Amino acid sequence: MMGERQVDQAALFYEFSIERHVPQDHLLRAIDRFVDLSEVRRDLAPFYSSTGRPSIDPELLIRMLLVGYCFGVRSERRLCEEVHLNLAYRWFCRLGLDGDVPDHSTFSKNRHGRFRDSDLLRKLFETVVRRCMAEGLVGGDGFAVDASLIRADANRQRSADGTDEVDWEELAATRRSVREYLDTLDDAAWGAASETRPKFVSRSDPAAQWTGAHKGHAFFAYATNYLIDLDHAVIVDVEPSRAIRQAEVGAARTMVERAQDRFGLWPERLAADSAYGSAEMLAWLVHDRGIEPHIPVFDKSARTDGTFSRSDFPYDHDRDLYTCPAGNELRPRQRVYRTSAPLVDDDGMMRYRASKFDCDACSLKPQCCPNAPARKIPRSIHEGARDMARDIAKTDAYTASRRERKKVEMLFAHLKRILRLDRLSLRGPCGARDEFLLAATAQNLRKLAKMVPAPSPIPA
Ligand code: SF4
């Protein structure tokens, strides 16, 4: 039998509880257990005037932003509509049924002012990391680091050639992202990361890097850098940088240092791909931080022209010399001079030389140094750390680290596919930092919600 037609009847009174309406297994209920915003008002207090109209509650704005980043609602205008209509979102934001949802422009005003001045989003991220530690999700023994490119809100049509003269000061007067670009020109993670001129520079977001790293069409991008704990893939730190290798390696160092300073986390090993395997980075990990590098060594010494590679010359640590395939010795100096030149060249390399006398008489010379009087082997002053990384690469622990390193890549895939952060909505280094911090906070909150079971309800 067909049911009766629904008619629009406005009841005078409803008995409705938003608390009862949100399902017990809703993701927001699980996340809500771990959102501690008790410090937010205290941190922001110095940035509010004691007179004038009361502002929108900053805790409401943060809760709304968390909803947006946890559920991939990328537009703040749409986020306001969603929170207005969705009862679970209202419940999480403590809005009740008739609470007013703030206008989308409120986010922009607060973000550029109080939130950035008080470093609120980083404090929020660190509060969640501490909660992960308190729940036992961070082992602290093994970390992994990696970077991923996120498209910037910039396009090629409105960009300048890298060689064009652009009056950036004039643009900076009206564009915040250009002012941030100028302010970070000497910063190692940004302008000072490389002296190479990019092919194109965006006029709307000049700190974004023109990159063809994905092998397809080139685009403007920022890099988000994650340092994760390998136990449960909790993001221990996040840092934005230019989308070039030098900046990403610098960001990795910043994050390792900050994890030690802020959380007292001192990992025994760090897993990463070969982009982090430069001699300087390995030496920094081994000598300065005492961390085992589970990282492939960045090595360009292999030759492809049929002549002997450096690996054909075994190194003798005790005697500090290489032995060539003909059995002769290569030393930093073949003779003793009255005034000796420095052993280390400006590029941080020592050159071990064979004797010209040996090479002239050697039948292997065409396979060794056909165009030079004698063979030279360059050796970095950080070669000890590189050798250590090579030795680690032969162990089972390294194989396990290589496998576990994939957890960072899975977090990036989750970031782009589930949280839909494949393109930034904010511009400038500060905009990228805000978005990456909020996204990493959302990912850690989702992890807590999934890994830590809710306490069972107390029977009536
Ligand atoms: S050419 Fe010189 S360095 Fe090369 S194998 Fe012969 S003696 Fe050794």
mmCIF file of all heavy atoms in Angstrom, residues 275-305:
data_model
loop_
_atom_site.group_PDB
_atom_site.id
_atom_site.type_symbol
_atom_site.label_atom_id
_atom_site.label_comp_id
_atom_site.label_asym_id
_atom_site.label_seq_id
_atom_site.Cartn_x
_atom_site.Cartn_y
_atom_site.Cartn_z
ATOM 1 N N ALA A 275 67.576 11.411 -2.845
ATOM 2 C CA ALA A 275 67.645 12.880 -2.881
ATOM 3 C C ALA A 275 68.290 13.423 -1.604
ATOM 4 O O ALA A 275 68.830 14.527 -1.592
ATOM 5 C CB ALA A 275 66.237 13.454 -3.047
ATOM 6 N N TYR A 276 68.226 12.630 -0.521
ATOM 7 C CA TYR A 276 68.787 13.083 0.762
ATOM 8 C C TYR A 276 70.164 12.464 1.006
ATOM 9 O O TYR A 276 70.693 12.557 2.097
ATOM 10 C CB TYR A 276 67.844 12.695 1.905
ATOM 11 C CG TYR A 276 66.487 13.345 1.782
ATOM 12 C CD1 TYR A 276 65.493 12.782 0.994
ATOM 13 C CD2 TYR A 276 66.207 14.544 2.434
ATOM 14 C CE1 TYR A 276 64.253 13.386 0.841
ATOM 15 C CE2 TYR A 276 64.971 15.150 2.301
ATOM 16 C CZ TYR A 276 64.002 14.561 1.501
ATOM 17 O OH TYR A 276 62.786 15.171 1.361
ATOM 18 N N GLY A 277 70.732 11.807 -0.036
ATOM 19 C CA GLY A 277 71.979 11.060 0.157
ATOM 20 C C GLY A 277 73.236 11.817 -0.215
ATOM 21 O O GLY A 277 74.250 11.196 -0.518
ATOM 22 N N SER A 278 73.195 13.161 -0.193
ATOM 23 C CA SER A 278 74.420 13.917 -0.488
ATOM 24 C C SER A 278 75.420 13.731 0.657
ATOM 25 O O SER A 278 75.032 13.421 1.801
ATOM 26 C CB SER A 278 74.099 15.399 -0.658
ATOM 27 O OG SER A 278 73.707 15.930 0.575
ATOM 28 N N ALA A 279 76.697 13.945 0.345
ATOM 29 C CA ALA A 279 77.742 13.746 1.356
ATOM 30 C C ALA A 279 77.515 14.650 2.573
ATOM 31 O O ALA A 279 77.662 14.212 3.717
ATOM 32 C CB ALA A 279 79.103 14.033 0.725
ATOM 33 N N GLU A 280 77.115 15.919 2.336
ATOM 34 C CA GLU A 280 76.937 16.868 3.449
ATOM 35 C C GLU A 280 75.808 16.420 4.365
ATOM 36 O O GLU A 280 75.929 16.483 5.582
ATOM 37 C CB GLU A 280 76.630 18.286 2.928
ATOM 38 C CG GLU A 280 77.757 18.943 2.167
ATOM 39 C CD GLU A 280 77.887 18.414 0.753
ATOM 40 O OE1 GLU A 280 76.899 17.842 0.246
ATOM 41 O OE2 GLU A 280 78.982 18.531 0.171
ATOM 42 N N MET A 281 74.697 15.973 3.754
ATOM 43 C CA MET A 281 73.545 15.554 4.560
ATOM 44 C C MET A 281 73.897 14.313 5.383
ATOM 45 O O MET A 281 73.569 14.222 6.572
ATOM 46 C CB MET A 281 72.353 15.261 3.630
ATOM 47 C CG MET A 281 71.116 14.774 4.345
ATOM 48 S SD MET A 281 70.405 16.042 5.415
ATOM 49 C CE MET A 281 68.955 15.193 6.056
ATOM 50 N N LEU A 282 74.592 13.352 4.761
ATOM 51 C CA LEU A 282 74.960 12.128 5.488
ATOM 52 C C LEU A 282 75.909 12.457 6.633
ATOM 53 O O LEU A 282 75.776 11.937 7.750
ATOM 54 C CB LEU A 282 75.604 11.122 4.529
ATOM 55 C CG LEU A 282 74.693 10.586 3.413
ATOM 56 C CD1 LEU A 282 75.479 9.724 2.445
ATOM 57 C CD2 LEU A 282 73.532 9.787 3.993
ATOM 58 N N ALA A 283 76.875 13.363 6.363
ATOM 59 C CA ALA A 283 77.837 13.738 7.413
ATOM 60 C C ALA A 283 77.121 14.442 8.556
ATOM 61 O O ALA A 283 77.423 14.227 9.736
ATOM 62 C CB ALA A 283 78.914 14.633 6.830
ATOM 63 N N TRP A 284 76.151 15.284 8.203
ATOM 64 C CA TRP A 284 75.398 15.999 9.253
ATOM 65 C C TRP A 284 74.647 15.011 10.148
ATOM 66 O O TRP A 284 74.649 15.136 11.371
ATOM 67 C CB TRP A 284 74.428 16.981 8.581
ATOM 68 C CG TRP A 284 73.611 17.773 9.544
ATOM 69 C CD1 TRP A 284 74.011 18.866 10.259
ATOM 70 C CD2 TRP A 284 72.244 17.515 9.927
ATOM 71 N NE1 TRP A 284 72.979 19.312 11.048
ATOM 72 C CE2 TRP A 284 71.888 18.502 10.871
ATOM 73 C CE3 TRP A 284 71.305 16.559 9.561
ATOM 74 C CZ2 TRP A 284 70.623 18.554 11.445
ATOM 75 C CZ3 TRP A 284 70.055 16.612 10.146
ATOM 76 C CH2 TRP A 284 69.718 17.606 11.072
ATOM 77 N N LEU A 285 74.025 14.011 9.500
ATOM 78 C CA LEU A 285 73.279 13.017 10.285
ATOM 79 C C LEU A 285 74.212 12.210 11.183
ATOM 80 O O LEU A 285 73.937 12.029 12.372
ATOM 81 C CB LEU A 285 72.534 12.058 9.345
ATOM 82 C CG LEU A 285 71.276 12.583 8.664
ATOM 83 C CD1 LEU A 285 70.785 11.602 7.615
ATOM 84 C CD2 LEU A 285 70.179 12.837 9.689
ATOM 85 N N VAL A 286 75.328 11.747 10.594
ATOM 86 C CA VAL A 286 76.207 10.837 11.329
ATOM 87 C C VAL A 286 76.995 11.588 12.409
ATOM 88 O O VAL A 286 76.987 11.198 13.584
ATOM 89 C CB VAL A 286 77.173 10.131 10.344
ATOM 90 C CG1 VAL A 286 78.207 9.312 11.105
ATOM 91 C CG2 VAL A 286 76.389 9.237 9.401
ATOM 92 N N HIS A 287 77.664 12.682 12.022
ATOM 93 C CA HIS A 287 78.586 13.344 12.946
ATOM 94 C C HIS A 287 77.895 14.349 13.870
ATOM 95 O O HIS A 287 78.228 14.451 15.044
ATOM 96 C CB HIS A 287 79.695 14.055 12.159
ATOM 97 C CG HIS A 287 80.474 13.124 11.278
ATOM 98 N ND1 HIS A 287 81.045 11.964 11.761
ATOM 99 C CD2 HIS A 287 80.746 13.143 9.953
ATOM 100 C CE1 HIS A 287 81.646 11.319 10.765
ATOM 101 N NE2 HIS A 287 81.473 12.019 9.658
ATOM 102 N N ASP A 288 76.934 15.104 13.332
ATOM 103 C CA ASP A 288 76.307 16.151 14.159
ATOM 104 C C ASP A 288 75.148 15.624 14.986
ATOM 105 O O ASP A 288 74.876 16.129 16.072
ATOM 106 C CB ASP A 288 75.778 17.297 13.284
ATOM 107 C CG ASP A 288 76.897 18.094 12.660
ATOM 108 O OD1 ASP A 288 78.035 17.607 12.695
ATOM 109 O OD2 ASP A 288 76.636 19.196 12.140
ATOM 110 N N ARG A 289 74.411 14.657 14.447
ATOM 111 C CA ARG A 289 73.193 14.215 15.130
ATOM 112 C C ARG A 289 73.263 12.784 15.639
ATOM 113 O O ARG A 289 72.367 12.354 16.348
ATOM 114 C CB ARG A 289 71.999 14.340 14.164
ATOM 115 C CG ARG A 289 71.708 15.760 13.758
ATOM 116 C CD ARG A 289 70.914 16.476 14.826
ATOM 117 N NE ARG A 289 71.285 17.881 14.897
ATOM 118 C CZ ARG A 289 70.771 18.736 15.753
ATOM 119 N NH1 ARG A 289 69.874 18.352 16.616
ATOM 120 N NH2 ARG A 289 71.175 19.982 15.785
ATOM 121 N N GLY A 290 74.253 12.036 15.225
ATOM 122 C CA GLY A 290 74.367 10.644 15.686
ATOM 123 C C GLY A 290 73.228 9.761 15.220
ATOM 124 O O GLY A 290 72.769 8.879 15.952
ATOM 125 N N ILE A 291 72.732 10.022 14.000
ATOM 126 C CA ILE A 291 71.602 9.248 13.455
ATOM 127 C C ILE A 291 72.111 8.360 12.326
ATOM 128 O O ILE A 291 72.855 8.825 11.451
ATOM 129 C CB ILE A 291 70.502 10.203 12.923
ATOM 130 C CG1 ILE A 291 69.970 11.074 14.060
ATOM 131 C CG2 ILE A 291 69.375 9.432 12.256
ATOM 132 C CD1 ILE A 291 69.016 12.163 13.619
ATOM 133 N N GLU A 292 71.694 7.088 12.319
ATOM 134 C CA GLU A 292 72.103 6.179 11.234
ATOM 135 C C GLU A 292 71.372 6.559 9.956
ATOM 136 O O GLU A 292 70.136 6.597 9.938
ATOM 137 C CB GLU A 292 71.699 4.736 11.582
ATOM 138 C CG GLU A 292 72.603 4.055 12.553
ATOM 139 C CD GLU A 292 72.155 2.601 12.768
ATOM 140 O OE1 GLU A 292 71.286 2.116 12.011
ATOM 141 O OE2 GLU A 292 72.662 1.987 13.708
ATOM 142 N N PRO A 293 72.102 6.824 8.869
ATOM 143 C CA PRO A 293 71.398 7.172 7.618
ATOM 144 C C PRO A 293 70.985 5.914 6.844
ATOM 145 O O PRO A 293 71.843 5.224 6.295
ATOM 146 C CB PRO A 293 72.456 7.972 6.843
ATOM 147 C CG PRO A 293 73.767 7.489 7.362
ATOM 148 C CD PRO A 293 73.558 6.931 8.737
ATOM 149 N N HIS A 294 69.699 5.617 6.830
ATOM 150 C CA HIS A 294 69.191 4.512 5.998
ATOM 151 C C HIS A 294 68.775 5.136 4.661
ATOM 152 O O HIS A 294 67.586 5.215 4.327
ATOM 153 C CB HIS A 294 68.028 3.810 6.697
ATOM 154 C CG HIS A 294 68.486 2.968 7.857
ATOM 155 N ND1 HIS A 294 68.006 1.706 8.099
ATOM 156 C CD2 HIS A 294 69.401 3.198 8.820
ATOM 157 C CE1 HIS A 294 68.605 1.202 9.171
ATOM 158 N NE2 HIS A 294 69.450 2.109 9.628
ATOM 159 N N ILE A 295 69.788 5.600 3.955
ATOM 160 C CA ILE A 295 69.579 6.438 2.772
ATOM 161 C C ILE A 295 70.536 5.968 1.677
ATOM 162 O O ILE A 295 71.728 5.786 1.954
ATOM 163 C CB ILE A 295 69.885 7.926 3.117
ATOM 164 C CG1 ILE A 295 68.991 8.405 4.256
ATOM 165 C CG2 ILE A 295 69.725 8.820 1.899
ATOM 166 C CD1 ILE A 295 69.343 9.777 4.779
ATOM 167 N N PRO A 296 70.056 5.775 0.443
ATOM 168 C CA PRO A 296 70.988 5.431 -0.634
ATOM 169 C C PRO A 296 71.976 6.581 -0.856
ATOM 170 O O PRO A 296 71.576 7.749 -0.854
ATOM 171 C CB PRO A 296 70.085 5.254 -1.859
ATOM 172 C CG PRO A 296 68.694 5.264 -1.369
ATOM 173 C CD PRO A 296 68.665 5.899 -0.027
ATOM 174 N N VAL A 297 73.224 6.242 -1.054
ATOM 175 C CA VAL A 297 74.257 7.289 -1.221
ATOM 176 C C VAL A 297 74.111 7.911 -2.606
ATOM 177 O O VAL A 297 73.973 7.200 -3.610
ATOM 178 C CB VAL A 297 75.662 6.675 -1.039
ATOM 179 C CG1 VAL A 297 76.724 7.719 -1.292
ATOM 180 C CG2 VAL A 297 75.803 6.098 0.355
ATOM 181 N N PHE A 298 74.101 9.234 -2.624
ATOM 182 C CA PHE A 298 74.043 9.987 -3.883
ATOM 183 C C PHE A 298 75.435 9.930 -4.499
ATOM 184 O O PHE A 298 76.364 10.561 -4.006
ATOM 185 C CB PHE A 298 73.648 11.430 -3.546
ATOM 186 C CG PHE A 298 73.311 12.258 -4.739
ATOM 187 C CD1 PHE A 298 72.164 12.013 -5.464
ATOM 188 C CD2 PHE A 298 74.128 13.303 -5.136
ATOM 189 C CE1 PHE A 298 71.846 12.785 -6.557
ATOM 190 C CE2 PHE A 298 73.818 14.081 -6.223
ATOM 191 C CZ PHE A 298 72.671 13.823 -6.943
ATOM 192 N N ASP A 299 75.599 9.109 -5.541
ATOM 193 C CA ASP A 299 76.946 8.809 -6.038
ATOM 194 C C ASP A 299 76.968 8.880 -7.560
ATOM 195 O O ASP A 299 76.214 8.178 -8.231
ATOM 196 C CB ASP A 299 77.322 7.385 -5.576
ATOM 197 C CG ASP A 299 78.812 7.144 -5.695
ATOM 198 O OD1 ASP A 299 79.478 7.940 -6.369
ATOM 199 O OD2 ASP A 299 79.281 6.155 -5.109
ATOM 200 N N LYS A 300 77.812 9.770 -8.069
ATOM 201 C CA LYS A 300 77.894 9.903 -9.528
ATOM 202 C C LYS A 300 79.238 9.390 -10.037
ATOM 203 O O LYS A 300 79.677 9.768 -11.121
ATOM 204 C CB LYS A 300 77.752 11.370 -9.919
ATOM 205 C CG LYS A 300 76.355 11.917 -9.759
ATOM 206 C CD LYS A 300 76.321 13.301 -10.368
ATOM 207 C CE LYS A 300 74.966 13.929 -10.212
ATOM 208 N NZ LYS A 300 75.039 15.372 -10.443
ATOM 209 N N SER A 301 79.918 8.548 -9.244
ATOM 210 C CA SER A 301 81.278 8.171 -9.615
ATOM 211 C C SER A 301 81.319 7.042 -10.650
ATOM 212 O O SER A 301 82.368 6.770 -11.219
ATOM 213 C CB SER A 301 82.053 7.744 -8.361
ATOM 214 O OG SER A 301 81.472 6.577 -7.826
ATOM 215 N N ALA A 302 80.157 6.379 -10.888
ATOM 216 C CA ALA A 302 80.173 5.279 -11.865
ATOM 217 C C ALA A 302 80.392 5.842 -13.273
ATOM 218 O O ALA A 302 79.781 6.846 -13.639
ATOM 219 C CB ALA A 302 78.851 4.526 -11.796
ATOM 220 N N ARG A 303 81.270 5.213 -14.038
ATOM 221 C CA ARG A 303 81.558 5.671 -15.398
ATOM 222 C C ARG A 303 80.843 4.775 -16.398
ATOM 223 O O ARG A 303 80.734 3.566 -16.196
ATOM 224 C CB ARG A 303 83.055 5.660 -15.662
ATOM 225 C CG ARG A 303 83.801 6.716 -14.871
ATOM 226 C CD ARG A 303 85.229 6.794 -15.331
ATOM 227 N NE ARG A 303 85.937 7.897 -14.686
ATOM 228 C CZ ARG A 303 87.168 8.248 -15.007
ATOM 229 N NH1 ARG A 303 87.833 7.586 -15.946
ATOM 230 N NH2 ARG A 303 87.751 9.259 -14.398
ATOM 231 N N THR A 304 80.393 5.370 -17.493
ATOM 232 C CA THR A 304 79.665 4.583 -18.497
ATOM 233 C C THR A 304 80.446 4.494 -19.816
ATOM 234 O O THR A 304 79.940 3.951 -20.786
ATOM 235 C CB THR A 304 78.298 5.240 -18.782
ATOM 236 O OG1 THR A 304 78.527 6.612 -19.119
ATOM 237 C CG2 THR A 304 77.376 5.148 -17.597
ATOM 238 N N ASP A 305 81.660 5.040 -19.839
ATOM 239 C CA ASP A 305 82.419 5.038 -21.100
ATOM 240 C C ASP A 305 83.379 3.849 -21.211
ATOM 241 O O ASP A 305 84.246 3.807 -22.072
ATOM 242 C CB ASP A 305 83.205 6.344 -21.251
ATOM 243 C CG ASP A 305 84.188 6.556 -20.105
ATOM 244 O OD1 ASP A 305 84.207 5.711 -19.174
ATOM 245 O OD2 ASP A 305 84.934 7.546 -20.121
#
